[in-house]
Amino acid sequence: MRPGVPPRYRGLVLLAPALTVVAFAAAALLVAARGSLADGLGRGWRLTAYRALADDPALTESLLLSLRIAATSTAASAALALLVVGAVTTRRGVRARVETAARATLAVPHLLAAAAFALLLTGSGLASRLTHAAGWTNSPSDFPAFVAGPSSAAIVLTYMWKEAPFIILMLLAAHTPAVRDLETAARTLGADRWRQVRHVTWPLLAPALVESCLLVFAFTFAAYEVPALLGATSPRALPVEAVGLYRSVELDDRPTALALAVVIGAVIALAAVAAAVISRRLLHARTGP
């Protein structure tokens, strides 16, 4: 019989896949950082690309647009997830069906989801034809410009449909039988629904909600497919702008594209650190140091 992994190494073995991914991401970020400090041919050391980021209003608009899309999508997805979880936690059969539907939604690629919402929300799409058939608009072209419009509504709706199931699964996983027992004890002691949620449910689910929201924020900020397919041509989301500059025939645009990649990586790293710090504080507030 082959000996098993020693106990002191089991944690490292379990962390090996995650550490491998982090190592590849860190290496890619270092390569991008080096390229952002060079010229178009990768030579020398200079800060021209970062000065371009600070001086170009279009790049500033792209950064603000990506932050707005990520924040709005995260907030909307979290609100929808909280409503769903609050409605199904006391119903086991409904909870199982919601979990199945959430897992099925997560299996849909983001590119396919974006294509589906494009077909649904474009001026000649299904929604515009239905509103015209119902007499709400004079023609399909009168339908609001959700796709490639200034409001980025189609992008947010796509992310809501894709990311709310992820938050739902995280919250349902955190809503364990022990949490349900504490909720039952609170009701037995006379707590109404609001007090139960405020003093029992929310403190126990807060770490999972914060972690999942920060993960969703980091993903939606850095994702390329959905903004590229559904977003406006100007301003473009930061990942779309970075890819466009990297593909430019002008070699001087490449360091700027890599500088944008460094900015995106820095925001993701900050979100990961914030998730770890906030989760630890919430855990200490619940259990004590």
Side-chain angles (χ1 to χ4, degrees):
M1 180 180 296
R2 298 180 61 183
V5 179
R8 60 180 177 176
Y9 296 125
R10 288 177 184 172
L12 184 60
V13 171
L14 293 175
L15 286 175
L19 293 176
T20 302
V21 173
V22 171
F24 275 109
L29 190 60
L30 289 175
V31 172
R34 173 64 185 97
S36 68
L37 296 172
D39 61 11
L41 296 175
R43 301 173 302 189
W45 297 84
R46 59 183 186 174
L47 296 173
T48 307
Y50 292 94
R51 295 193 187 100
L53 295 185
D55 297 337
D56 192 342
L59 297 180
T60 303
E61 289 182 5
S62 295
L63 174 61
L64 295 177
L65 175 63
S66 292
L67 289 172
R68 185 167 62 249
I69 290 173
T72 305
S73 301
T74 302
S77 300
L80 179 59
L82 286 172
L83 289 175
V84 172
V85 171
V88 306
T89 50
T90 57
R91 305 174 182 178
R92 294 184 179 180
V94 177
R95 172 172 173 158
R97 289 192 290 271
V98 168
E99 288 181 344
T100 302
R103 291 191 181 96
T105 304
L106 288 180
V108 178
H110 280 79
L111 184 60
L112 182 58
F117 273 86
L119 294 174
L120 177 65
L121 297 176
T122 54
S124 59
L126 179 61
S128 65
R129 296 180 182 275
L130 290 177
T131 55
H132 175 61
W136 297 343
T137 57
N138 294 327
S139 65
S141 61
D142 293 333
F143 192 73
F146 289 125
V147 176
S151 65
S152 303
I155 301 175
V156 174
L157 289 173
T158 303
Y159 281 140
M160 278 184 63
W161 187 75
K162 279 293 297 176
E163 309 309 327
F166 169 72
I167 301 178
I168 289 172
L169 290 176
M170 292 285 287
L171 294 178
L172 290 178
H175 195 270
T176 60
V179 176
R180 293 194 290 271
D181 292 341
L182 291 174
E183 291 175 342
T184 302
R187 288 194 299 269
T188 303
L189 294 173
D192 57 18
R193 178 65 175 174
W194 166 244
R195 289 184 177 179
Q196 171 194 317
V197 171
R198 179 182 177 185
H199 297 290
V200 178
T201 308
W202 165 246
L204 296 174
L205 298 186
L209 178 63
V210 171
E211 291 174 3
S212 58
C213 285
L214 287 172
L215 288 174
V216 168
F217 178 87
F219 175 82
T220 53
F221 179 81
Y224 170 80
E225 307 97 320
V226 177
L229 188 59
L230 302 178
T233 56
S234 179
R236 299 187 295 182
L238 204 62
V240 180
E241 190 70 33
V243 173
L245 288 173
Y246 193 81
R247 292 176 175 175
S248 173
V249 296
E250 297 290 338
L251 288 178
D252 289 339
D253 289 338
R254 182 160 296 182
T256 306
L258 295 175
L260 289 178
V262 171
V263 171
I264 294 171
V267 171
I268 294 175
L270 288 175
V273 172
V277 172
I278 295 174
S279 297
R280 179 173 295 182
R281 290 185 177 181
L282 290 172
L283 182 61
H284 286 175
R286 186 180 69 184
T287 62

